[in-house]
Amino acid sequence: MAKSGTHSETYTTPLKRLLLAVVILCLLGLFFLWRIDSPRVERFRAAVIDAVLPSFDWAMAPVTATVNLARDFRSYQRIYEQNQELRRELRQMTAWKEAALQLEQENAKLRDLNNVRIDPRLTYITGVVLADSGSPFRQSVLINVGSRDGIVDGWATVDGTGLVGRISGVGANTSRVIMLTDATSRIPATIQPSGQRALIVGDNTSAPPIDFLETPDQVRPGDRIVTSGDGDVFPPGLLIGQVAEDPGGRLRTRLAADYERLEFLRVLRDHGARRVSNPAALILPETPPGQTDLPTEDAKVTP
């Protein structure tokens, strides 16, 4: 067995070397043949190429497919990068669009505030609504102006359309606004064009009822409701809303203010409002000087 393996290796090694030498010589011959600049050799090269290359299409197909795959992969990679960049730009544009819409809404509401027709003698300060009461039993909001801005209890607040409520509670930097819909709200009003005086009574609904009408027959749905200025509670002429009628036939108020979108409120400075210093005088008339309220024993006439 050892002799047989040695005998095989004796013939295999020289054949490998001979085959390698032949391949090298063929390659050198092909190289030199391709380097010769002669018309005959050029025709020979063209004939060889025409004869050999068409038969190698099957061998070039995998190489061509691989090259195309690599090219497509690079193209896909570029498309993916462009897609990611476009997504980032789209997110930025979405954020800018949202900011632009918010600014547009704020600008529209501020324009509405500027369009409110009020007494030119009244000055005002605009505040931002911070929060609402969040309770069905109390209708109020908090604004970011307070005593440092000169806010006083009882001053009226309006939005871009009409009356919202009054200041009830003033802090250093914030104030609470009791809205017309609150159950504690009572607003003296005038109904136009009939001139009927009434009271807008809050009942924690979006349409407060109209009470204490002297002649209800003269009032029609759609009539305009404004503040009357009675009792110096509010300046006269502020728009409250319109008269409406519920299914039960009771007259109610369709408020002009948009309570669903309160973002800015204008507080009207009413420096001329009368302050109540003697609550008892609202019920009993004041006694003229020199006259006593009730007769005393000393004032009795003796016969």
Side-chain angles (χ1 to χ4, degrees):
M1 294 295 294
K3 291 181 179 180
S4 176
T6 305
H7 187 274
S8 176
E9 291 178 359
T10 303
Y11 288 102
T12 302
T13 301
L15 288 176
K16 290 181 179 179
R17 293 176 179 175
L18 179 62
L19 182 61
L20 179 61
V22 170
V23 170
I24 292 174
L25 289 175
C26 290
L27 292 176
L28 289 174
L30 185 62
F31 174 76
F32 286 116
L33 180 64
W34 235 253
R35 298 292 296 177
I36 296 175
D37 189 10
S38 171
R40 294 181 179 180
V41 176
E42 182 65 29
R43 287 194 295 272
F44 174 74
R45 286 198 296 262
V48 171
I49 292 174
D50 291 340
V52 173
L53 284 184
S55 62
F56 274 89
D57 288 342
W58 61 271
M60 294 298 295
V63 178
T64 304
T66 304
V67 172
N68 292 334
L69 182 63
R71 187 182 297 111
D72 293 340
F73 178 78
R74 288 194 297 269
S75 177
Y76 172 78
Q77 186 177 8
R78 288 194 297 269
I79 292 174
Y80 177 78
E81 292 174 354
Q82 292 177 359
N83 190 17
Q84 292 297 108
E85 185 176 357
L86 290 175
R87 285 178 181 273
R88 288 192 296 270
E89 293 181 358
L90 181 60
R91 286 195 294 268
Q92 293 178 355
M93 292 296 293
T94 303
W96 293 341
K97 178 182 177 182
E98 184 65 24
L101 288 176
Q102 292 178 359
L103 291 174
E104 184 179 1
Q105 292 174 359
E106 292 182 3
N107 190 21
K109 290 184 178 296
L110 289 174
R111 286 181 179 177
D112 289 339
L113 287 178
N114 289 331
N115 290 332
V116 176
R117 295 182 180 180
I118 59 177
D119 191 338
R121 293 173 297 178
L122 295 174
T123 59
Y124 59 86
I125 180 171
T126 301
V128 178
V129 175
L130 301 177
D132 57 19
S133 61
S135 169
F137 305 104
R138 184 175 177 83
Q139 304 289 323
S140 64
V141 294
L142 201 66
I143 58 177
N144 67 339
V145 289
S147 59
R148 63 179 176 84
D149 303 294
I151 303 300
V152 177
D153 269 328
W155 281 358
T157 59
V158 297
D159 72 345
T161 311
L163 185 66
V164 173
R166 58 182 172 83
I167 299 293
S168 178
V170 181
N173 300 314
T174 58
S175 301
R176 183 163 294 279
V177 178
I178 298 296
M179 296 190 288
L180 301 183
T181 56
D182 189 82
T184 61
S185 175
R186 303 290 187 273
I187 308 300
T190 301
I191 300 178
Q192 298 174 346
S194 62
Q196 291 289 310
R197 298 299 178 95
L199 206 63
I200 308 301
V201 180
D203 60 350
N204 290 329
T205 65
S206 59
I210 303 173
D211 287 342
F212 301 104
L213 268 173
E214 183 177 1
T215 311
D217 295 338
Q218 297 183 7
V219 177
R220 298 288 184 271
D223 288 352
R224 195 166 180 263
I225 306 174
V226 297
T227 56
S228 64
D230 293 339
D232 290 335
V233 178
F234 288 116
L238 298 180
L239 178 63
I240 297 177
Q242 291 181 336
V243 176
E245 188 174 357
D246 62 11
R250 187 177 185 183
L251 295 180
R252 290 184 173 270
T253 306
R254 184 185 296 113
L255 296 174
D258 188 1
Y259 281 66
E260 299 296 329
R261 299 180 180 179
L262 291 180
E263 294 185 12
F264 301 95
L265 288 181
R266 174 179 291 178
V267 183
L268 304 181
R269 296 190 182 100
D270 187 13
H271 298 289
R274 177 172 57 85
R275 304 300 176 196
V276 178
S277 59
N278 184 12
L282 297 176
I283 302 175
L284 298 176
E286 296 183 358
T287 304
Q291 180 178 348
T292 57
D293 296 337
L294 295 174
T296 60
E297 293 294 334
D298 296 337
K300 291 182 179 180
V301 178
T302 56

